[in-house]
Amino acid sequence: MDVLAEANRMIARGENVISLAVGQPAAPAPQAARDAARLMLDHGRVAYTDALGRGDLRERIARHYQDAYGQSVASERIMVTTGSSAGFNLAFLAAFDPGDRIAIAAPGYPAYRNILKALGLVPVEHEVDASTGYVFTADHLRHLHESGPVAGVLVASPANPTGTMTPRDELRRLVEYADAAGIRFISDEIYHGLTYGQAEETALAFSDSPLVVNSFSKYYCMTGWRIGWLVLPPSLVRAAERIGQSLYISAPEMSQVAATAVFDSRDELDAVRTGYIRNRDLLAARLPGLGYRDIAPIDGAFYAYARIPEGAIGSTAFAKSILERCHVAITPGTDFDQRRGEGFVRLSYACDHASLGEALDRMQALLRG
């Protein structure tokens, strides 16, 4: 976000900055979502809903699990949240007590670590790297748990910042080990719908115990609408509902109405995804020629995570130089991995294809002369 802030200041000065820094689609929310919101505004009344969310949206999300994964999920287990950010808060508060140790991968989304610490929980990070395809495995979880018991584990697939997916069999092993060891499994599935090659799988395919966090921000192109959902084990629904009543009252009703409609926009959304595939292919083809190394498998989401070119003094200084000299914003790896992140950067390819090509041309002029 600091990189984005500086890029925005440059843009305000009239400088032509291309941002590969922030993980949000350049495409607008689908027409059906906007039409539904406009109709509600015309009606005039936007109100609180039940803390768990509108019934029609919860039922539509439940149908999505049947359509997308062949899984029967009761709508009573679904809670609509103010984006996935609120979903993580609610999941952590409902499932854990202060002092509990929660396993996560490094590199990983920095908000995991920050939210856990803010809630009095203890993040326990396990390093993943190119040698293991950046995948957090059941063996990693077993090692952490045997070294010092963990109460929970959070796994993202596709992952941020790497874009790496957990293979289906490995996800099954993770869920089964967690169940057997009494570890709460939280599955971050917010990039589902944005996979290239292997199909994504929900953790709910292997057990009813996981807490699943999802969002309308990424595949559905609704970042600023702040709308997401949780699938909860039956034993945690009432706890999450009561916490949500106190913290949020409810997710914004107009966003809930728009989200219900967006499920009918598959053609529009898949066209956006096709654009990401073009961008992904371009990035994968050109990054090695620019000197980037140890590139994580770009299985899904819209990120590439890579070691900075040899000779660069660190990702923070490297990203600052790229922004100042190329007018291209990229994200230093420091927040994603506190120990090794200064050697890496994340590049988002959620922009339009022409902008990505121009950004790569600018970096090539600087890095390769």
Side-chain angles (χ1 to χ4, degrees), residues 92-103 116-117 119-124 149-152 184:
F92 295 155
L93 286 166
F96 305 119
D97 292 317
D100 281 350
R101 290 158 43 89
I102 314 301
L116 289 168
K117 288 181 177 179
L119 297 178
L121 301 167
V122 181
V124 181
V150 297
R184 285 285 188 190

mmCIF file with all atom_site columns, all heavy atoms in Angstrom, residues 92-103 116-117 119-124 149-152 184:
data_model
loop_
_atom_site.group_PDB
_atom_site.id
_atom_site.type_symbol
_atom_site.label_atom_id
_atom_site.label_alt_id
_atom_site.label_comp_id
_atom_site.label_asym_id
_atom_site.label_entity_id
_atom_site.label_seq_id
_atom_site.pdbx_PDB_ins_code
_atom_site.Cartn_x
_atom_site.Cartn_y
_atom_site.Cartn_z
_atom_site.occupancy
_atom_site.B_iso_or_equiv
_atom_site.pdbx_formal_charge
_atom_site.auth_seq_id
_atom_site.auth_comp_id
_atom_site.auth_asym_id
_atom_site.auth_atom_id
_atom_site.pdbx_PDB_model_num
ATOM 1   N N   . PHE A 1 92  ? -11.148 -16.284 12.968 1.00 0.00 ? 92  PHE A N   1
ATOM 2   C CA  . PHE A 1 92  ? -10.157 -16.388 14.036 1.00 0.00 ? 92  PHE A CA  1
ATOM 3   C C   . PHE A 1 92  ? -10.802 -16.215 15.413 1.00 0.00 ? 92  PHE A C   1
ATOM 4   O O   . PHE A 1 92  ? -10.469 -16.933 16.361 1.00 0.00 ? 92  PHE A O   1
ATOM 5   C CB  . PHE A 1 92  ? -9.066  -15.328 13.847 1.00 0.00 ? 92  PHE A CB  1
ATOM 6   C CG  . PHE A 1 92  ? -8.222  -15.487 12.614 1.00 0.00 ? 92  PHE A CG  1
ATOM 7   C CD1 . PHE A 1 92  ? -7.576  -14.392 12.050 1.00 0.00 ? 92  PHE A CD1 1
ATOM 8   C CD2 . PHE A 1 92  ? -8.060  -16.725 12.006 1.00 0.00 ? 92  PHE A CD2 1
ATOM 9   C CE1 . PHE A 1 92  ? -6.788  -14.525 10.920 1.00 0.00 ? 92  PHE A CE1 1
ATOM 10  C CE2 . PHE A 1 92  ? -7.277  -16.876 10.870 1.00 0.00 ? 92  PHE A CE2 1
ATOM 11  C CZ  . PHE A 1 92  ? -6.636  -15.768 10.322 1.00 0.00 ? 92  PHE A CZ  1
ATOM 12  N N   . LEU A 1 93  ? -11.722 -15.260 15.529 1.00 0.00 ? 93  LEU A N   1
ATOM 13  C CA  . LEU A 1 93  ? -12.352 -14.999 16.819 1.00 0.00 ? 93  LEU A CA  1
ATOM 14  C C   . LEU A 1 93  ? -13.269 -16.145 17.245 1.00 0.00 ? 93  LEU A C   1
ATOM 15  O O   . LEU A 1 93  ? -13.355 -16.482 18.431 1.00 0.00 ? 93  LEU A O   1
ATOM 16  C CB  . LEU A 1 93  ? -13.140 -13.692 16.759 1.00 0.00 ? 93  LEU A CB  1
ATOM 17  C CG  . LEU A 1 93  ? -12.295 -12.416 16.755 1.00 0.00 ? 93  LEU A CG  1
ATOM 18  C CD1 . LEU A 1 93  ? -13.147 -11.214 16.360 1.00 0.00 ? 93  LEU A CD1 1
ATOM 19  C CD2 . LEU A 1 93  ? -11.654 -12.188 18.122 1.00 0.00 ? 93  LEU A CD2 1
ATOM 20  N N   . ALA A 1 94  ? -13.967 -16.739 16.278 1.00 0.00 ? 94  ALA A N   1
ATOM 21  C CA  . ALA A 1 94  ? -14.887 -17.824 16.610 1.00 0.00 ? 94  ALA A CA  1
ATOM 22  C C   . ALA A 1 94  ? -14.161 -19.130 16.938 1.00 0.00 ? 94  ALA A C   1
ATOM 23  O O   . ALA A 1 94  ? -14.612 -19.907 17.787 1.00 0.00 ? 94  ALA A O   1
ATOM 24  C CB  . ALA A 1 94  ? -15.863 -18.051 15.453 1.00 0.00 ? 94  ALA A CB  1
ATOM 25  N N   . ALA A 1 95  ? -13.032 -19.358 16.258 1.00 0.00 ? 95  ALA A N   1
ATOM 26  C CA  . ALA A 1 95  ? -12.378 -20.672 16.350 1.00 0.00 ? 95  ALA A CA  1
ATOM 27  C C   . ALA A 1 95  ? -11.289 -20.769 17.403 1.00 0.00 ? 95  ALA A C   1
ATOM 28  O O   . ALA A 1 95  ? -10.970 -21.874 17.851 1.00 0.00 ? 95  ALA A O   1
ATOM 29  C CB  . ALA A 1 95  ? -11.802 -21.041 14.986 1.00 0.00 ? 95  ALA A CB  1
ATOM 30  N N   . PHE A 1 96  ? -10.704 -19.629 17.799 1.00 0.00 ? 96  PHE A N   1
ATOM 31  C CA  . PHE A 1 96  ? -9.495  -19.687 18.632 1.00 0.00 ? 96  PHE A CA  1
ATOM 32  C C   . PHE A 1 96  ? -9.610  -18.810 19.873 1.00 0.00 ? 96  PHE A C   1
ATOM 33  O O   . PHE A 1 96  ? -10.456 -17.921 19.953 1.00 0.00 ? 96  PHE A O   1
ATOM 34  C CB  . PHE A 1 96  ? -8.276  -19.257 17.814 1.00 0.00 ? 96  PHE A CB  1
ATOM 35  C CG  . PHE A 1 96  ? -8.095  -20.035 16.545 1.00 0.00 ? 96  PHE A CG  1
ATOM 36  C CD1 . PHE A 1 96  ? -8.125  -19.392 15.305 1.00 0.00 ? 96  PHE A CD1 1
ATOM 37  C CD2 . PHE A 1 96  ? -7.903  -21.402 16.573 1.00 0.00 ? 96  PHE A CD2 1
ATOM 38  C CE1 . PHE A 1 96  ? -7.965  -20.111 14.133 1.00 0.00 ? 96  PHE A CE1 1
ATOM 39  C CE2 . PHE A 1 96  ? -7.748  -22.140 15.405 1.00 0.00 ? 96  PHE A CE2 1
ATOM 40  C CZ  . PHE A 1 96  ? -7.773  -21.483 14.180 1.00 0.00 ? 96  PHE A CZ  1
ATOM 41  N N   . ASP A 1 97  ? -8.707  -19.072 20.804 1.00 0.00 ? 97  ASP A N   1
ATOM 42  C CA  . ASP A 1 97  ? -8.589  -18.278 22.028 1.00 0.00 ? 97  ASP A CA  1
ATOM 43  C C   . ASP A 1 97  ? -7.236  -17.584 22.050 1.00 0.00 ? 97  ASP A C   1
ATOM 44  O O   . ASP A 1 97  ? -6.273  -18.062 21.425 1.00 0.00 ? 97  ASP A O   1
ATOM 45  C CB  . ASP A 1 97  ? -8.708  -19.181 23.260 1.00 0.00 ? 97  ASP A CB  1
ATOM 46  C CG  . ASP A 1 97  ? -10.103 -19.758 23.410 1.00 0.00 ? 97  ASP A CG  1
ATOM 47  O OD1 . ASP A 1 97  ? -11.075 -19.007 23.223 1.00 0.00 ? 97  ASP A OD1 1
ATOM 48  O OD2 . ASP A 1 97  ? -10.212 -20.965 23.721 1.00 0.00 ? 97  ASP A OD2 1
ATOM 49  N N   . PRO A 1 98  ? -7.115  -16.453 22.754 1.00 0.00 ? 98  PRO A N   1
ATOM 50  C CA  . PRO A 1 98  ? -5.832  -15.748 22.827 1.00 0.00 ? 98  PRO A CA  1
ATOM 51  C C   . PRO A 1 98  ? -4.698  -16.693 23.240 1.00 0.00 ? 98  PRO A C   1
ATOM 52  O O   . PRO A 1 98  ? -4.863  -17.531 24.135 1.00 0.00 ? 98  PRO A O   1
ATOM 53  C CB  . PRO A 1 98  ? -6.086  -14.671 23.885 1.00 0.00 ? 98  PRO A CB  1
ATOM 54  C CG  . PRO A 1 98  ? -7.557  -14.401 23.788 1.00 0.00 ? 98  PRO A CG  1
ATOM 55  C CD  . PRO A 1 98  ? -8.172  -15.735 23.493 1.00 0.00 ? 98  PRO A CD  1
ATOM 56  N N   . GLY A 1 99  ? -3.571  -16.546 22.557 1.00 0.00 ? 99  GLY A N   1
ATOM 57  C CA  . GLY A 1 99  ? -2.417  -17.399 22.826 1.00 0.00 ? 99  GLY A CA  1
ATOM 58  C C   . GLY A 1 99  ? -2.328  -18.620 21.947 1.00 0.00 ? 99  GLY A C   1
ATOM 59  O O   . GLY A 1 99  ? -1.271  -19.269 21.881 1.00 0.00 ? 99  GLY A O   1
ATOM 60  N N   . ASP A 1 100 ? -3.412  -18.976 21.256 1.00 0.00 ? 100 ASP A N   1
ATOM 61  C CA  . ASP A 1 100 ? -3.362  -20.123 20.349 1.00 0.00 ? 100 ASP A CA  1
ATOM 62  C C   . ASP A 1 100 ? -2.358  -19.879 19.229 1.00 0.00 ? 100 ASP A C   1
ATOM 63  O O   . ASP A 1 100 ? -2.214  -18.764 18.729 1.00 0.00 ? 100 ASP A O   1
ATOM 64  C CB  . ASP A 1 100 ? -4.742  -20.386 19.745 1.00 0.00 ? 100 ASP A CB  1
ATOM 65  C CG  . ASP A 1 100 ? -5.683  -21.118 20.693 1.00 0.00 ? 100 ASP A CG  1
ATOM 66  O OD1 . ASP A 1 100 ? -5.214  -21.588 21.749 1.00 0.00 ? 100 ASP A OD1 1
ATOM 67  O OD2 . ASP A 1 100 ? -6.889  -21.213 20.378 1.00 0.00 ? 100 ASP A OD2 1
ATOM 68  N N   . ARG A 1 101 ? -1.699  -20.959 18.818 1.00 0.00 ? 101 ARG A N   1
ATOM 69  C CA  . ARG A 1 101 ? -0.693  -20.903 17.757 1.00 0.00 ? 101 ARG A CA  1
ATOM 70  C C   . ARG A 1 101 ? -1.330  -21.342 16.440 1.00 0.00 ? 101 ARG A C   1
ATOM 71  O O   . ARG A 1 101 ? -1.980  -22.389 16.385 1.00 0.00 ? 101 ARG A O   1
ATOM 72  C CB  . ARG A 1 101 ? 0.494   -21.805 18.098 1.00 0.00 ? 101 ARG A CB  1
ATOM 73  C CG  . ARG A 1 101 ? 1.345   -21.286 19.252 1.00 0.00 ? 101 ARG A CG  1
ATOM 74  C CD  . ARG A 1 101 ? 2.165   -22.384 19.920 1.00 0.00 ? 101 ARG A CD  1
ATOM 75  N NE  . ARG A 1 101 ? 2.796   -23.308 18.983 1.00 0.00 ? 101 ARG A NE  1
ATOM 76  C CZ  . ARG A 1 101 ? 4.008   -23.129 18.438 1.00 0.00 ? 101 ARG A CZ  1
ATOM 77  N NH1 . ARG A 1 101 ? 4.716   -22.039 18.725 1.00 0.00 ? 101 ARG A NH1 1
ATOM 78  N NH2 . ARG A 1 101 ? 4.507   -24.039 17.626 1.00 0.00 ? 101 ARG A NH2 1
ATOM 79  N N   . ILE A 1 102 ? -1.133  -20.530 15.399 1.00 0.00 ? 102 ILE A N   1
ATOM 80  C CA  . ILE A 1 102 ? -1.762  -20.786 14.100 1.00 0.00 ? 102 ILE A CA  1
ATOM 81  C C   . ILE A 1 102 ? -0.669  -20.905 13.036 1.00 0.00 ? 102 ILE A C   1
ATOM 82  O O   . ILE A 1 102 ? 0.143   -19.990 12.860 1.00 0.00 ? 102 ILE A O   1
ATOM 83  C CB  . ILE A 1 102 ? -2.733  -19.654 13.715 1.00 0.00 ? 102 ILE A CB  1
ATOM 84  C CG1 . ILE A 1 102 ? -3.634  -19.266 14.892 1.00 0.00 ? 102 ILE A CG1 1
ATOM 85  C CG2 . ILE A 1 102 ? -3.540  -20.063 12.482 1.00 0.00 ? 102 ILE A CG2 1
ATOM 86  C CD1 . ILE A 1 102 ? -4.478  -20.381 15.447 1.00 0.00 ? 102 ILE A CD1 1
ATOM 87  N N   . ALA A 1 103 ? -0.648  -22.010 12.325 1.00 0.00 ? 103 ALA A N   1
ATOM 88  C CA  . ALA A 1 103 ? 0.363   -22.261 11.302 1.00 0.00 ? 103 ALA A CA  1
ATOM 89  C C   . ALA A 1 103 ? -0.007  -21.573 9.999  1.00 0.00 ? 103 ALA A C   1
ATOM 90  O O   . ALA A 1 103 ? -1.160  -21.652 9.546  1.00 0.00 ? 103 ALA A O   1
ATOM 91  C CB  . ALA A 1 103 ? 0.512   -23.768 11.070 1.00 0.00 ? 103 ALA A CB  1
ATOM 92  N N   . LEU A 1 116 ? -3.731  -11.969 13.107 1.00 0.00 ? 116 LEU A N   1
ATOM 93  C CA  . LEU A 1 116 ? -3.521  -12.921 14.190 1.00 0.00 ? 116 LEU A CA  1
ATOM 94  C C   . LEU A 1 116 ? -2.884  -12.245 15.403 1.00 0.00 ? 116 LEU A C   1
ATOM 95  O O   . LEU A 1 116 ? -3.333  -12.418 16.550 1.00 0.00 ? 116 LEU A O   1
ATOM 96  C CB  . LEU A 1 116 ? -2.635  -14.078 13.712 1.00 0.00 ? 116 LEU A CB  1
ATOM 97  C CG  . LEU A 1 116 ? -3.280  -15.063 12.728 1.00 0.00 ? 116 LEU A CG  1
ATOM 98  C CD1 . LEU A 1 116 ? -2.229  -15.962 12.107 1.00 0.00 ? 116 LEU A CD1 1
ATOM 99  C CD2 . LEU A 1 116 ? -4.357  -15.893 13.410 1.00 0.00 ? 116 LEU A CD2 1
ATOM 100 N N   . LYS A 1 117 ? -1.851  -11.448 15.158 1.00 0.00 ? 117 LYS A N   1
ATOM 101 C CA  . LYS A 1 117 ? -1.180  -10.763 16.264 1.00 0.00 ? 117 LYS A CA  1
ATOM 102 C C   . LYS A 1 117 ? -2.117  -9.764  16.948 1.00 0.00 ? 117 LYS A C   1
ATOM 103 O O   . LYS A 1 117 ? -2.134  -9.653  18.176 1.00 0.00 ? 117 LYS A O   1
ATOM 104 C CB  . LYS A 1 117 ? 0.073   -10.067 15.759 1.00 0.00 ? 117 LYS A CB  1
ATOM 105 C CG  . LYS A 1 117 ? 1.216   -11.006 15.401 1.00 0.00 ? 117 LYS A CG  1
ATOM 106 C CD  . LYS A 1 117 ? 2.439   -10.221 14.932 1.00 0.00 ? 117 LYS A CD  1
ATOM 107 C CE  . LYS A 1 117 ? 3.607   -11.139 14.645 1.00 0.00 ? 117 LYS A CE  1
ATOM 108 N NZ  . LYS A 1 117 ? 4.807   -10.389 14.171 1.00 0.00 ? 117 LYS A NZ  1
ATOM 109 N N   . LEU A 1 119 ? -5.197  -9.954  17.335 1.00 0.00 ? 119 LEU A N   1
ATOM 110 C CA  . LEU A 1 119 ? -6.206  -10.668 18.104 1.00 0.00 ? 119 LEU A CA  1
ATOM 111 C C   . LEU A 1 119 ? -5.604  -11.486 19.251 1.00 0.00 ? 119 LEU A C   1
ATOM 112 O O   . LEU A 1 119 ? -6.313  -12.247 19.911 1.00 0.00 ? 119 LEU A O   1
ATOM 113 C CB  . LEU A 1 119 ? -7.015  -11.585 17.188 1.00 0.00 ? 119 LEU A CB  1
ATOM 114 C CG  . LEU A 1 119 ? -7.837  -10.893 16.099 1.00 0.00 ? 119 LEU A CG  1
ATOM 115 C CD1 . LEU A 1 119 ? -8.546  -11.913 15.224 1.00 0.00 ? 119 LEU A CD1 1
ATOM 116 C CD2 . LEU A 1 119 ? -8.835  -9.920  16.702 1.00 0.00 ? 119 LEU A CD2 1
ATOM 117 N N   . GLY A 1 120 ? -4.294  -11.337 19.471 1.00 0.00 ? 120 GLY A N   1
ATOM 118 C CA  . GLY A 1 120 ? -3.662  -12.064 20.560 1.00 0.00 ? 120 GLY A CA  1
ATOM 119 C C   . GLY A 1 120 ? -3.327  -13.500 20.242 1.00 0.00 ? 120 GLY A C   1
ATOM 120 O O   . GLY A 1 120 ? -3.052  -14.305 21.140 1.00 0.00 ? 120 GLY A O   1
ATOM 121 N N   . LEU A 1 121 ? -3.339  -13.847 18.953 1.00 0.00 ? 121 LEU A N   1
ATOM 122 C CA  . LEU A 1 121 ? -2.961  -15.185 18.506 1.00 0.00 ? 121 LEU A CA  1
ATOM 123 C C   . LEU A 1 121 ? -1.509  -15.178 18.044 1.00 0.00 ? 121 LEU A C   1
ATOM 124 O O   . LEU A 1 121 ? -0.921  -14.112 17.805 1.00 0.00 ? 121 LEU A O   1
ATOM 125 C CB  . LEU A 1 121 ? -3.891  -15.637 17.380 1.00 0.00 ? 121 LEU A CB  1
ATOM 126 C CG  . LEU A 1 121 ? -5.373  -15.672 17.760 1.00 0.00 ? 121 LEU A CG  1
ATOM 127 C CD1 . LEU A 1 121 ? -6.248  -15.828 16.528 1.00 0.00 ? 121 LEU A CD1 1
ATOM 128 C CD2 . LEU A 1 121 ? -5.653  -16.796 18.754 1.00 0.00 ? 121 LEU A CD2 1
ATOM 129 N N   . VAL A 1 122 ? -0.927  -16.347 17.887 1.00 0.00 ? 122 VAL A N   1
ATOM 130 C CA  . VAL A 1 122 ? 0.499   -16.450 17.585 1.00 0.00 ? 122 VAL A CA  1
ATOM 131 C C   . VAL A 1 122 ? 0.696   -17.096 16.217 1.00 0.00 ? 122 VAL A C   1
ATOM 132 O O   . VAL A 1 122 ? 0.462   -18.308 16.065 1.00 0.00 ? 122 VAL A O   1
ATOM 133 C CB  . VAL A 1 122 ? 1.229   -17.286 18.658 1.00 0.00 ? 122 VAL A CB  1
ATOM 134 C CG1 . VAL A 1 122 ? 2.729   -17.363 18.343 1.00 0.00 ? 122 VAL A CG1 1
ATOM 135 C CG2 . VAL A 1 122 ? 0.992   -16.708 20.044 1.00 0.00 ? 122 VAL A CG2 1
ATOM 136 N N   . PRO A 1 123 ? 1.093   -16.327 15.202 1.00 0.00 ? 123 PRO A N   1
ATOM 137 C CA  . PRO A 1 123 ? 1.381   -16.934 13.907 1.00 0.00 ? 123 PRO A CA  1
ATOM 138 C C   . PRO A 1 123 ? 2.671   -17.745 13.968 1.00 0.00 ? 123 PRO A C   1
ATOM 139 O O   . PRO A 1 123 ? 3.683   -17.292 14.501 1.00 0.00 ? 123 PRO A O   1
ATOM 140 C CB  . PRO A 1 123 ? 1.529   -15.724 12.975 1.00 0.00 ? 123 PRO A CB  1
ATOM 141 C CG  . PRO A 1 123 ? 1.890   -14.584 13.875 1.00 0.00 ? 123 PRO A CG  1
ATOM 142 C CD  . PRO A 1 123 ? 1.276   -14.868 15.207 1.00 0.00 ? 123 PRO A CD  1
ATOM 143 N N   . VAL A 1 124 ? 2.620   -18.961 13.436 1.00 0.00 ? 124 VAL A N   1
ATOM 144 C CA  . VAL A 1 124 ? 3.792   -19.842 13.382 1.00 0.00 ? 124 VAL A CA  1
ATOM 145 C C   . VAL A 1 124 ? 4.064   -20.101 11.903 1.00 0.00 ? 124 VAL A C   1
ATOM 146 O O   . VAL A 1 124 ? 3.308   -20.819 11.243 1.00 0.00 ? 124 VAL A O   1
ATOM 147 C CB  . VAL A 1 124 ? 3.535   -21.159 14.137 1.00 0.00 ? 124 VAL A CB  1
ATOM 148 C CG1 . VAL A 1 124 ? 4.773   -22.048 14.083 1.00 0.00 ? 124 VAL A CG1 1
ATOM 149 C CG2 . VAL A 1 124 ? 3.125   -20.880 15.581 1.00 0.00 ? 124 VAL A CG2 1
ATOM 150 N N   . PRO A 1 149 ? 2.570   -27.725 19.733 1.00 0.00 ? 149 PRO A N   1
ATOM 151 C CA  . PRO A 1 149 ? 1.202   -27.893 19.222 1.00 0.00 ? 149 PRO A CA  1
ATOM 152 C C   . PRO A 1 149 ? 0.601   -26.597 18.664 1.00 0.00 ? 149 PRO A C   1
ATOM 153 O O   . PRO A 1 149 ? 0.742   -25.523 19.245 1.00 0.00 ? 149 PRO A O   1
ATOM 154 C CB  . PRO A 1 149 ? 0.420   -28.372 20.444 1.00 0.00 ? 149 PRO A CB  1
ATOM 155 C CG  . PRO A 1 149 ? 1.449   -29.040 21.299 1.00 0.00 ? 149 PRO A CG  1
ATOM 156 C CD  . PRO A 1 149 ? 2.704   -28.242 21.103 1.00 0.00 ? 149 PRO A CD  1
ATOM 157 N N   . VAL A 1 150 ? -0.060  -26.729 17.517 1.00 0.00 ? 150 VAL A N   1
ATOM 158 C CA  . VAL A 1 150 ? -0.769  -25.599 16.917 1.00 0.00 ? 150 VAL A CA  1
ATOM 159 C C   . VAL A 1 150 ? -2.263  -25.863 17.022 1.00 0.00 ? 150 VAL A C   1
ATOM 160 O O   . VAL A 1 150 ? -2.715  -27.010 16.953 1.00 0.00 ? 150 VAL A O   1
ATOM 161 C CB  . VAL A 1 150 ? -0.357  -25.360 15.439 1.00 0.00 ? 150 VAL A CB  1
ATOM 162 C CG1 . VAL A 1 150 ? 1.107   -24.986 15.354 1.00 0.00 ? 150 VAL A CG1 1
ATOM 163 C CG2 . VAL A 1 150 ? -0.664  -26.563 14.570 1.00 0.00 ? 150 VAL A CG2 1
ATOM 164 N N   . ALA A 1 151 ? -3.025  -24.802 17.209 1.00 0.00 ? 151 ALA A N   1
ATOM 165 C CA  . ALA A 1 151 ? -4.478  -24.928 17.323 1.00 0.00 ? 151 ALA A CA  1
ATOM 166 C C   . ALA A 1 151 ? -5.166  -24.828 15.972 1.00 0.00 ? 151 ALA A C   1
ATOM 167 O O   . ALA A 1 151 ? -6.306  -25.278 15.813 1.00 0.00 ? 151 ALA A O   1
ATOM 168 C CB  . ALA A 1 151 ? -5.026  -23.857 18.259 1.00 0.00 ? 151 ALA A CB  1
ATOM 169 N N   . GLY A 1 152 ? -4.477  -24.205 15.016 1.00 0.00 ? 152 GLY A N   1
ATOM 170 C CA  . GLY A 1 152 ? -5.088  -24.002 13.707 1.00 0.00 ? 152 GLY A CA  1
ATOM 171 C C   . GLY A 1 152 ? -4.052  -23.893 12.620 1.00 0.00 ? 152 GLY A C   1
ATOM 172 O O   . GLY A 1 152 ? -2.857  -23.708 12.884 1.00 0.00 ? 152 GLY A O   1
ATOM 173 N N   . ARG A 1 184 ? -7.866  -26.828 13.844 1.00 0.00 ? 184 ARG A N   1
ATOM 174 C CA  . ARG A 1 184 ? -8.849  -26.131 13.017 1.00 0.00 ? 184 ARG A CA  1
ATOM 175 C C   . ARG A 1 184 ? -8.213  -25.761 11.679 1.00 0.00 ? 184 ARG A C   1
ATOM 176 O O   . ARG A 1 184 ? -7.160  -25.131 11.644 1.00 0.00 ? 184 ARG A O   1
ATOM 177 C CB  . ARG A 1 184 ? -9.329  -24.855 13.699 1.00 0.00 ? 184 ARG A CB  1
ATOM 178 C CG  . ARG A 1 184 ? -10.278 -25.067 14.847 1.00 0.00 ? 184 ARG A CG  1
ATOM 179 C CD  . ARG A 1 184 ? -11.669 -25.448 14.360 1.00 0.00 ? 184 ARG A CD  1
ATOM 180 N NE  . ARG A 1 184 ? -12.632 -25.467 15.461 1.00 0.00 ? 184 ARG A NE  1
ATOM 181 C CZ  . ARG A 1 184 ? -13.859 -25.942 15.341 1.00 0.00 ? 184 ARG A CZ  1
ATOM 182 N NH1 . ARG A 1 184 ? -14.278 -26.441 14.189 1.00 0.00 ? 184 ARG A NH1 1
ATOM 183 N NH2 . ARG A 1 184 ? -14.680 -25.930 16.384 1.00 0.00 ? 184 ARG A NH2 1
#
